[in-house]
Amino acid sequence: MQLTGYIVRETEKAVAFVLQGEHTGEVKPMWVPLKKIDEREELDSYSPSIQIAGEGVRRLGIPVCLDIDNSFLKRIGVA
């Protein structure tokens, strides 16, 4: 399933992803393991400032379109 939104943090094994339209106010990102991402395309659009819940700094979101494994999304209740 393809989801459009913003990557606000990235580790060696996962990305913190915020769905497009859900980036106002304080948000809790969805952590997606890199091995569950089939395809990742960075988009050439606006990078909003996003406040992650529990953090004292705002982060710029990288606009992306992610193709994420459907079984993973179903397991976490997104699909």
Side-chain angles (χ1 to χ4, degrees):
M1 171 182 274
Q2 286 191 338
L3 298 176
T4 303
Y6 307 96
I7 291 178
V8 289
R9 283 192 59 200
E10 190 165 356
T11 68
E12 291 179 14
K13 296 185 179 189
V15 295
F17 180 74
V18 175
L19 286 170
Q20 188 172 8
E22 294 184 3
H23 63 277
T24 56
E26 201 171 79
V27 297
K28 185 174 180 183
M30 169 177 48
W31 282 93
V32 181
L34 293 176
K35 64 183 179 180
K36 299 296 183 182
I37 299 173
D38 298 326
E39 194 173 321
R40 172 181 169 168
E41 178 185 357
E42 288 194 24
L43 305 173
D44 187 24
S45 61
Y46 173 70
S47 296
S49 176
I50 298 173
Q51 178 69 46
I52 298 175
E55 290 191 357
V57 296
R58 296 184 69 83
R59 298 176 182 270
L60 283 180
I62 301 168
V64 295
C65 182
L66 299 179
D67 189 8
I68 302 172
D69 179 58
N70 282 338
S71 61
F72 172 74
L73 291 175
K74 286 178 184 175
R75 193 174 77 233
I76 64 171
V78 175

